[in-house]
Amino acid sequence: MRRKLAAGNWKMHGGAGDLAEIAALAAAHPSPVSEVLICPPATLISRMAEAAADTPVEVGGQDCHAETKGAHTGDVAAGMLAEAGARFVILGHSERRADHGESDADVHAKTRAAWDAGLTAVVCVGETLEEREAGRTLEIVGGQIDGSVPNGASPERLVVAYEPVWAIGTGKVPTLDQIGEVHGFIRAQLVDRFGAGAADGIRILYGGSVKPGNAAEIFGVADVDGALVGGASLKAADFGPIVTALDAAGA
Ligand code: 13P
């Protein structure tokens, strides 16, 4: 059985004043069925890890460099995230692929670095609207997984997040059939590549405009093992009900 994962991506939001959201989330969910993860900006990781100690909330980063150290101004190594208290790191988010030109090869190298530092990599894939309308969704997603995920993936090391680019921050969500089609495709691809033993345990999250109002139906789709949530993860009042819906799906 895969333990469900409710993951929040705070993107470039949040400061020290928002750490109270962690306490509120933990108070509302003292012993969740699901794993609960928040990925704040790098500046907040160590303080959030302190705030989340003795709670079920885990902390992650939003990116790392592929090298362990060096002359890379502004970058953060995976080992530094781990030392700050991160257990996970989001890699290859579409905003990084678009804003920083990250390729599948870059994400592949970063994922290796994350594994070497003992982190679980949350590798993001997803098609643009143009690609979906051209009927290329599975080709694009399949290619991204092939190129971004190194050999040696396991349930402890890898989470895949399917985030259609056109659904991020837009309020648009694919139909449940569309979500199910892509998640089933990703599962089959993981089985092909890593064998059923490993692939059956790897969580596949859906991301893109997940809200308290649509979470339960999305969590009812086969092979959806949780969510990667942007805007609705910033406030415990929004993220808490998403955790509750996921707990119900996983119970
Ligand atoms: P939204 O939930 O704000 O659409 O963002 C999704 C996302 O990009 C999570 O990584």
Side-chain angles (χ1 to χ4, degrees):
M1 255 309 267
R2 296 181 289 274
R3 190 174 177 206
K4 307 275 183 189
L5 173 60
N9 174 8
W10 278 17
K11 308 191 178 183
M12 201 167 72
H13 297 286
D18 298 298
L19 293 172
E21 298 300 326
I22 301 305
L25 186 61
H29 296 276
S31 48
V33 177
S34 314
E35 205 167 2
V36 178
L37 166 68
I38 299 287
C39 300
T43 48
L44 216 50
I45 289 173
S46 76
R47 271 181 295 177
M48 188 176 286
E50 279 170 27
D54 306 321
T55 81
V57 180
E58 294 181 293
V59 179
Q62 299 176 9
D63 176 49
C64 70
H65 198 276
E67 306 286 330
T68 55
K69 63 181 178 193
H72 302 292
T73 302
D75 280 315
V76 177
M80 296 170 179
L81 296 178
E83 190 182 60
R87 284 208 39 232
F88 291 76
V89 61
I90 298 169
L91 294 173
H93 191 283
S94 63
E95 286 152 15
R96 293 209 58 89
R97 292 179 188 261
D99 296 353
H100 299 272
E102 285 189 10
S103 65
D104 290 334
D106 294 327
V107 180
H108 187 281
K110 289 175 178 215
T111 302
R112 276 236 151 277
W115 291 353
D116 288 347
L119 299 176
T120 300
V122 181
V123 172
C124 302
V125 297
E127 82 287 359
T128 63
L129 188 57
E130 194 182 18
E131 288 161 347
R132 175 163 283 277
E133 286 175 345
R136 299 180 58 212
T137 298
L138 301 183
E139 171 204 336
I140 294 295
V141 167
Q144 287 174 332
I145 290 186
D146 262 352
S148 303
V149 176
N151 289 333
S154 69
E156 295 72 36
R157 290 171 127 190
L158 180 70
V159 173
V160 175
Y162 168 55
E163 299 206 309
V165 177
W166 51 275
I168 294 175
T170 59
K172 293 186 189 137
V173 179
T175 65
L176 301 181
D177 282 351
Q178 288 172 328
I179 294 174
E181 180 190 29
V182 179
H183 280 241
F185 171 79
I186 293 172
R187 178 79 57 209
Q189 194 181 3
L190 294 174
V191 169
D192 264 5
R193 174 115 177 255
F194 302 111
D200 283 349
I202 294 174
R203 278 127 2 137
I204 306 173
L205 311 184
Y206 169 77
S209 298
V210 176
K211 307 288 176 203
N214 63 15
E217 60 179 19
I218 292 171
F219 296 152
V221 175
D223 281 309
V224 172
D225 303 310
L228 182 55
V229 183
S233 71
L234 296 171
K235 297 285 174 209
D238 296 323
F239 198 53
I242 294 173
V243 174
T244 302
L246 190 59
D247 279 1

